[in-house]
Amino acid sequence: MVSITPVDRQNESAFSSNIAVFAEHKRSLTSQEIDTLIQQGNTNSDSSWQNIFVPKEDGLFDVSLIRDCEFSGFVVLGRLTRSVLKYHDLELCTGLYHSYITDVVLGDDVCIRNVQYLVNYHIGSRVILFNIQEMSCTHHSKFGAGILKEGEPESNRVWIGISNENDARAVLPFEKMLPADAFIWSRRRDDNELLAAFVRMTEQENDRKNNTFGIIADDVVIKNTLLLKDVKVGSGAYIKGACKLKNITVCSSEEEPSQIGEGVELVNGIMGYGSKVFYQAIAVRFVIGRNCQLKYGARLLNSVLGDNSTVSCCELLNNLIFPFHEQHHNTSFLIASTVLGQSNIAAGATIGSNHNSRSPDGEIFAGRGFWPGLCSDFKHNSRFASFTLVSKGSYQNELNIMYPFSLVSIDSTEQAVHIIPAYWFLYNMFAISRNKSKFRARDRRVIKAQHIETDPLAPDTVQEIMYALDRLIVLTARYLKKTDPLYADIRHDISQQAKDFLHQNPDTDIELYDPQCQKRYGARILKVAQGYREYRRVAKYFAVSALMEYCGKQNINVFSPEVFASIKEIPLYTDWENVGGQIIPRIRIEFLYEQIKNGRIQTWDAVHAFYEDCQVEYLRYKTRYALHILESLYERAISQFDATVYTDIYTDVAYVANYMYESAVESRKKDYTDYFRTITFRNAEEMTAVLGTLDANEFLNELKADTTEFCSRLNRFFSALKK
């Protein structure tokens, strides 16, 4: 029911209680200015016109620039002189025209034209508001944050139900939220003391007063938009043709301007700096990171989307997604998932298709580099190791893929899934060599609020490789005891015999059975010895690369026992966590939890400072872990390594480095030599015009130079150890 209130609302307005602050250095209108305003078609609920304040200085207020407007409440104007504001092809004269304006503070040189209802906003300088149906702000607005105002019940709080449809992992959004924050909040759900601390931290700067006003910062352009309600917009943002923006913050700056385009609806959320949402996209209960794109009818609901991600056409419900996520297809669907970034969801992929139980409480957890193939679907609960490539197919049972960089596929003749461990290293090394540079090039954040590890080989993935190596040894030992009489009578652990078998039979075609990889039917592990060999090679490559990086920072050009001894003084962490794209020792995250619970860390800014402190130490910790990897692979202390061991390490690392380049060249060369790649071109000249030449490929040329430099440095670093 529509209620009726008196026209004179000055004593009831929260705006009026702070008018002395807003109107400082301002004056009231002169009688001549009032007469002019009336003659120009303006009206005012205050017949005295004493509710409008303008600059005191002469020459800063041109009354002729206000026409056909209706005023009420208090209105404070900044400098208003005749000038033209221009943004792209839009050119408008400064001033206030054909608008309804109540309880508004304006900056300098603004243009407000055809705004049918503008209530309770502070508007910066050089702002254009053009053709807006409604733009209002309630006094209890939170701009998408999960806080409460005075007198509000807990039920009013906005939660984002990430990772699970039952909201049992829900988090409260706030303006500076990082995927790392959402991750640490969503994991420890059995620790009520910690969960309560997270809520207190989110409320830390909330004074709970019902005196909020909308904010439009400097140099913002908003045009042809239907509804903006309870909206905060940062400087430099451009909004055009939006349908509904309600209870949101649009983070934007001159260095990282954000954009919202035609047909967009955003409700209850935070949009990150430099991000773009356009072409009928919809987001409800969300946090979108920096430099993201949401477009072409995409639906993002109850989700946190990490930096540098692009989502088009598809539907995403109840997800926590780390940076560098790509999902472009109208037929793709992602639900109730935690995806650790650098991921790509293909057309027709249905991830978390639900429901294999009677309640919507299933989950998917996928390490970074998750890449399901066309028209693949999975059931809750499933878990995937980092850089798992899943072949097209319908996976009818829950999966637990423990082998990183693997290929998972279905054989129509049997129910067990097939897994090729280390598939990327065996057949797709080009992608490994390209990924690191590709993600770095896509990182267009001006301010990097959190470090994102873009190297496919990092402590988080290498620890998975080490687990996969141990798993292959265990399964090989079972296989040998079951199938080979030579091992059947061995009563003690035969893990060493299994290792020897894998080393001595690099081309064996044995297949292993892993019952833990799929519910009911398990998995067949193919190319076991080849995968084992490649896992070991790339683990050495990671270790030596990390050691070389560390020594380079220390101006050390040659490895020596003294160098290794000094590295062993660094604390060793062997258990790592991908926290929002940043790789942090798990024990450090446990320490963070304790610091939050005991009150030593009380704000999210302090949490972010903790992340930064971890990053400062990252190279040192990674280097110590790298040394540990070498000792684990050779089952002896680094002090016991001899020239034979160092030569073996050098040979494998040099092989991986050169193989990355050679496989990249061979992969690209197929575009020029494969017959079927040429059939769409009229002749060789047309193909060259479309594809360019192999010699001119920028990535390959850079990779060649990097490989040459790496191998040269590698030889120098090992020069004293191979003798």
Side-chain angles (χ1 to χ4, degrees):
M1 179 181 294
V2 177
S3 61
I4 300 176
T5 58
V7 172
D8 184 1
R9 26 187 311 273
Q10 294 180 15
N11 294 328
E12 301 175 12
S13 172
F15 190 97
S16 65
S17 63
N18 292 312
I19 194 62
V21 176
F22 302 146
E24 188 177 6
H25 305 303
K26 304 291 182 179
R27 64 172 175 82
S28 298
L29 295 170
T30 66
S31 58
Q32 183 178 356
E33 289 169 338
I34 294 172
D35 290 341
T36 302
L37 288 172
I38 294 173
Q39 292 171 10
Q40 292 172 174
N42 300 288
T43 62
N44 195 332
S45 63
D46 182 353
S47 59
S48 70
W49 290 79
Q50 296 304 298
N51 60 336
I52 297 180
F53 297 85
V54 299
K56 288 182 178 179
E57 297 84 351
D58 293 339
L60 298 186
F61 175 61
D62 186 343
V63 70
S64 69
L65 300 179
I66 303 177
R67 296 177 178 273
D68 298 318
C69 290
E70 182 179 352
F71 297 98
S72 64
F74 284 93
V75 178
V76 181
L77 305 182
R79 182 179 64 225
L80 192 61
T81 58
R82 189 171 297 278
S83 57
V84 173
L85 296 179
K86 181 177 181 180
Y87 186 84
H88 296 170
D89 295 332
L90 179 65
E91 293 188 33
L92 294 172
C93 179
T94 53
L96 284 61
Y97 309 95
H98 317 296
S99 300
Y100 176 89
I101 302 172
T102 297
D103 290 347
V104 171
V105 176
L106 299 177
D108 296 334
D109 303 317
V110 301
C111 174
I112 299 178
R113 184 182 291 268
N114 300 339
V115 180
Q116 302 304 308
Y117 188 75
L118 175 57
V119 176
N120 194 28
Y121 267 85
H122 286 202
I123 295 168
S125 299
R126 299 171 303 282
V127 169
I128 298 176
L129 303 180
F130 176 52
N131 288 348
I132 299 173
Q133 190 70 31
E134 178 183 344
M135 184 170 171
S136 62
C137 182
T138 59
H139 296 300
H140 57 266
S141 175
K142 299 94 175 171
F143 307 122
I147 59 176
L148 293 177
K149 291 295 186 176
E150 187 176 9
E152 288 190 310
E154 186 65 31
S155 59
N156 281 18
R157 198 186 293 276
V158 173
W159 292 84
I160 301 180
I162 61 173
S163 303
N164 196 304
E165 286 184 281
N166 67 5
D167 289 339
R169 295 192 187 275
V171 299
L172 295 176
F174 55 92
E175 186 170 324
K176 296 181 181 179
M177 173 173 267
L178 302 171
D181 305 329
F183 180 74
I184 65 172
W185 194 335
S186 68
R187 291 292 100 190
R188 287 287 207 86
R189 305 310 290 196
D190 56 335
D191 192 333
N192 292 328
E193 182 182 358
L194 179 65
L195 299 180
F198 285 141
V199 175
R200 289 196 301 271
M201 289 163 55
T202 305
E203 290 273 10
Q204 184 71 23
E205 298 179 3
N206 177 24
D207 63 10
R208 298 179 64 86
K209 294 180 179 179
N210 289 305
N211 59 359
T212 309
F213 45 80
I215 297 174
I216 306 296
D218 295 345
D219 302 299
V220 170
V221 176
I222 305 176
K223 68 176 187 178
N224 302 326
T225 292
L226 293 179
L227 173 65
L228 297 99
K229 186 176 181 66
D230 297 343
V231 172
K232 177 181 177 182
V233 181
S235 62
Y238 178 40
I239 300 173
K240 61 172 181 175
C243 287
K244 182 179 183 179
L245 307 178
K246 182 178 180 181
N247 191 32
I248 66 168
T249 293
V250 180
C251 298
S252 182
S253 66
E254 182 179 352
E255 298 81 12
E256 296 177 285
S258 296
Q259 293 186 22
I260 298 175
E262 293 83 355
V264 167
E265 295 186 31
L266 302 178
V267 179
N268 296 337
I270 316 289
M271 177 175 166
Y273 289 89
S275 291
K276 298 177 176 60
V277 181
F278 37 77
Y279 304 137
Q280 291 79 47
I282 297 174
V284 179
R285 293 182 182 253
F286 65 91
V287 172
I288 297 173
R290 276 180 146 92
N291 187 39
C292 291
Q293 294 191 48
L294 192 68
K295 55 187 178 180
Y296 304 134
R299 285 87 69 203
L300 180 74
L301 311 175
N302 263 305
S303 296
V304 173
L305 181 65
D307 298 352
N308 302 306
S309 296
T310 300
V311 172
S312 307
C313 310
C314 56
E315 187 168 2
L316 299 94
L317 311 176
N318 301 95
N319 299 298
L320 170 57
I321 302 172
F322 287 11
F324 295 109
H325 179 78
E326 300 286 320
Q327 191 168 346
H328 302 288
H329 309 284
N330 196 42
T331 51
S332 62
F333 180 62
L334 184 66
I335 181 172
S337 300
T338 299
V339 182
L340 303 193
Q342 299 170 34
S343 37
N344 196 312
I345 309 301
T350 305
I351 306 200
S353 53
N354 243 8
H355 296 282
N356 48 334
S357 70
R358 295 185 180 181
S359 61
D361 56 1
E363 301 179 5
I364 298 285
F365 191 97
R368 63 186 176 111
F370 181 52
W371 199 318
L374 295 168
C375 299
S376 52
D377 63 83
F378 310 97
K379 301 296 183 185
H380 293 141
N381 291 347
S382 290
R383 188 179 182 98
F384 300 88
S386 298
F387 291 92
T388 297
L389 180 63
V390 187
S391 182
K392 174 181 179 180
S394 181
Y395 295 82
Q396 296 297 311
N397 299 286
E398 297 90 329
L399 299 174
N400 180 29
I401 307 303
M402 300 175 285
Y403 302 91
F405 301 95
S406 63
L407 173 67
V408 180
S409 61
I410 295 175
D411 187 327
S412 60
T413 63
E414 63 176 315
Q415 293 172 310
V417 296
H418 289 190
I419 300 175
I420 300 178
Y423 174 87
W424 290 56
F425 308 132
L426 288 166
Y427 304 107
N428 198 20
M429 189 66 90
F430 169 69
I432 296 297
S433 58
R434 183 171 176 264
N435 271 0
K436 184 176 179 179
S437 61
K438 175 181 72 176
F439 289 126
R440 283 185 176 177
R442 291 179 181 176
D443 190 354
R444 296 187 177 90
R445 299 172 299 163
V446 175
I447 297 176
K448 295 175 171 56
Q450 186 173 22
H451 176 82
I452 303 171
E453 177 60 83
T454 58
D455 195 331
L457 295 175
D460 63 321
T461 54
V462 172
Q463 75 178 1
E464 293 182 31
I465 286 174
M466 299 302 289
Y467 174 84
L469 283 169
D470 289 342
R471 185 69 180 164
L472 290 175
I473 291 168
V474 168
L475 295 178
T476 301
R478 291 179 186 173
Y479 172 86
L480 293 175
K481 290 188 72 172
K482 183 178 181 180
T483 62
D484 193 326
L486 293 175
Y487 300 97
D489 294 332
I490 297 178
R491 300 182 184 277
H492 57 80
D493 177 31
I494 64 166
S495 60
Q496 186 58 52
Q497 287 84 349
K499 293 178 190 177
D500 293 341
F501 176 84
L502 292 171
H503 282 284
Q504 295 165 10
N505 299 274
D507 297 318
T508 181
D509 59 357
I510 67 166
E511 296 179 0
L512 305 177
Y513 174 71
D514 193 334
Q516 296 182 9
C517 287
Q518 183 189 210
K519 186 175 182 179
R520 297 182 65 183
Y521 302 112
R524 287 175 60 190
I525 312 301
L526 313 179
K527 298 191 178 297
V528 176
Q530 298 92 323
Y532 178 83
R533 178 190 63 213
E534 294 308 313
Y535 274 149
R536 287 181 60 89
R537 279 176 172 169
V538 296
K540 296 175 195 177
Y541 177 85
F542 156 78
V544 171
S545 296
L547 289 166
M548 289 172 60
E549 181 184 3
Y550 175 80
C551 290
K553 298 285 186 182
Q554 304 294 321
N555 295 316
I556 298 171
N557 295 318
V558 179
F559 289 147
S560 67
E562 292 75 20
V563 171
F564 295 142
S566 67
I567 292 173
K568 294 202 77 168
E569 297 297 318
I570 301 172
L572 173 61
Y573 299 108
T574 60
D575 193 2
W576 298 77
E577 188 101 63
N578 181 348
V579 184
Q582 180 177 345
I583 313 304
I584 301 176
R586 191 183 302 272
I587 196 171
R588 296 290 294 155
I589 299 302
E590 297 296 329
F591 176 73
L592 171 62
Y593 285 141
E594 291 304 315
Q595 293 289 94
I596 292 171
K597 288 165 63 175
N598 64 30
R600 290 188 175 90
I601 289 180
Q602 298 184 354
T603 67
W604 285 109
D605 284 342
V607 172
H608 297 170
F610 178 87
Y611 298 153
E612 187 60 34
D613 290 342
C614 290
Q615 186 58 33
V616 170
E617 297 293 330
Y618 177 57
L619 179 57
R620 293 178 68 247
Y621 295 156
K622 181 173 71 170
T623 304
R624 179 64 185 92
Y625 180 61
L627 203 60
H628 168 76
I629 292 297
L630 292 178
E631 292 180 324
S632 298
L633 290 172
Y634 288 94
E635 299 180 295
R636 68 192 77 172
I638 194 77
S639 58
Q640 298 176 357
F641 283 19
D642 55 20
T644 301
V645 172
Y646 285 122
T647 299
D648 185 65
I649 295 172
Y650 170 83
T651 301
D652 277 347
V653 173
Y655 170 85
V656 172
N658 285 301
Y659 181 51
M660 281 186 180
Y661 171 68
E662 292 166 2
S663 63
V665 172
E666 288 302 314
S667 178
R668 185 60 174 155
K669 189 181 292 184
K670 292 178 183 178
D671 291 336
Y672 300 90
T673 59
D674 185 277
Y675 169 73
F676 289 97
R677 300 285 181 97
T678 68
I679 60 177
T680 60
F681 301 105
R682 184 168 49 88
N683 51 41
E685 288 74 18
E686 183 184 20
M687 185 175 72
T688 299
V690 173
L691 302 180
T693 64
L694 193 63
D695 293 339
N697 186 282
E698 183 178 355
F699 167 71
L700 292 180
N701 289 334
E702 290 179 358
L703 182 59
K704 180 179 181 180
D706 291 344
T707 303
T708 300
E709 180 187 2
F710 178 87
C711 290
S712 176
R713 291 177 59 215
L714 179 68
N715 188 54
R716 183 168 64 252
F717 271 101
F718 276 92
S719 59
L721 298 175
K722 295 185 296 178
K723 297 179 180 178

